[in-house]
Amino acid sequence: MTSVTSGGRPRRRKVAGIKGALRELNNQLALFNHQLSAKVALKPVDFDCLELLNLHGPLSPSALAKQAGLHPATMTGVLDRLQRAGWVTRDRPRDAVDRRAVVVAVTGDRDAEMYRHLAGMNAKMDDLCGGYTDAELDLIGDFLRRATAAGKDATGDLAGESE
């Protein structure tokens, strides 16, 4: 693997540019998600948890709290709001030995509403991706997956500092 420092100043500038672009992307996506959550009458933290459930499928409340970096007591309030609004269900798994076991799942009842608000962003992303070759899309996809993994690792490292 090539280091950031090999290649001198031009390479360091490119890497710094990528880091800066990722920070700008993070900020812009946070603003988009804030606007989207307001359109569907969700608190941003509730929207984040709904997104985690959409990405990872049904989860226990404690697993969802861990994924979201939230305290379990906070998660209870989030799930109460999401359930009241019709976004999620909390059910006992049929095969659960522990009667207290609960799994949170997205209902799908409000998907059409969400898709309506996401249509503009999806169209813009389709247009953007249309300007790249399949090989370039593979490279971009690989970079984003690896950047996500690096972010997860750094988050874990940072969380470990406070313990």
Side-chain angles (χ1 to χ4, degrees):
M1 185 171 273
T2 308
S3 86
V4 171
T5 57
S6 66
R9 185 173 288 162
R11 181 172 179 85
R12 286 193 302 274
R13 282 189 186 139
K14 287 180 184 186
V15 171
I18 290 170
K19 289 176 183 177
L22 285 171
R23 289 177 67 196
E24 289 180 35
L25 174 61
N26 179 59
N27 186 54
Q28 190 56 54
L29 290 176
L31 291 170
F32 178 80
N33 286 343
H34 182 76
Q35 290 296 318
L36 180 58
S37 64
K39 293 283 185 192
V40 294
L42 288 174
K43 291 184 176 192
V45 68
D46 298 357
F47 179 78
D48 292 343
C49 291
L50 184 62
E51 276 295 280
L52 287 168
L53 288 167
N54 279 314
L55 285 170
H56 301 289
L59 295 169
S60 70
S62 59
L64 181 56
K66 184 175 181 180
Q67 287 275 332
L70 297 174
H71 189 277
T74 303
M75 184 54 61
T76 300
V78 168
L79 293 178
D80 287 346
R81 289 188 299 273
L82 288 172
Q83 188 171 16
R84 267 194 313 271
W87 292 103
V88 302
T89 59
R90 288 185 271 197
D91 297 305
R92 286 190 175 78
R94 292 184 187 144
D95 59 346
V97 176
D98 184 349
R99 289 180 28 192
R100 297 170 295 170
V102 172
V103 173
V104 181
V106 176
T107 64
D109 294 348
R110 297 185 66 183
D111 284 355
E113 178 182 2
M114 186 68 76
Y115 292 143
R116 187 175 67 250
H117 294 299
L118 288 169
M121 179 61 137
N122 283 331
K124 290 178 186 331
M125 292 305 298
D126 288 344
D127 289 346
L128 176 65
C129 290
Y132 292 96
T133 67
D134 287 350
E136 290 169 330
L137 290 173
D138 289 340
L139 181 64
I140 293 166
D142 178 63
F143 174 81
L144 291 173
R145 283 185 293 279
R146 292 169 69 183
T148 299
K152 284 180 183 178
D153 289 348
T155 300
D157 293 347
L158 196 57
E161 285 180 9
S162 63
E163 292 177 16

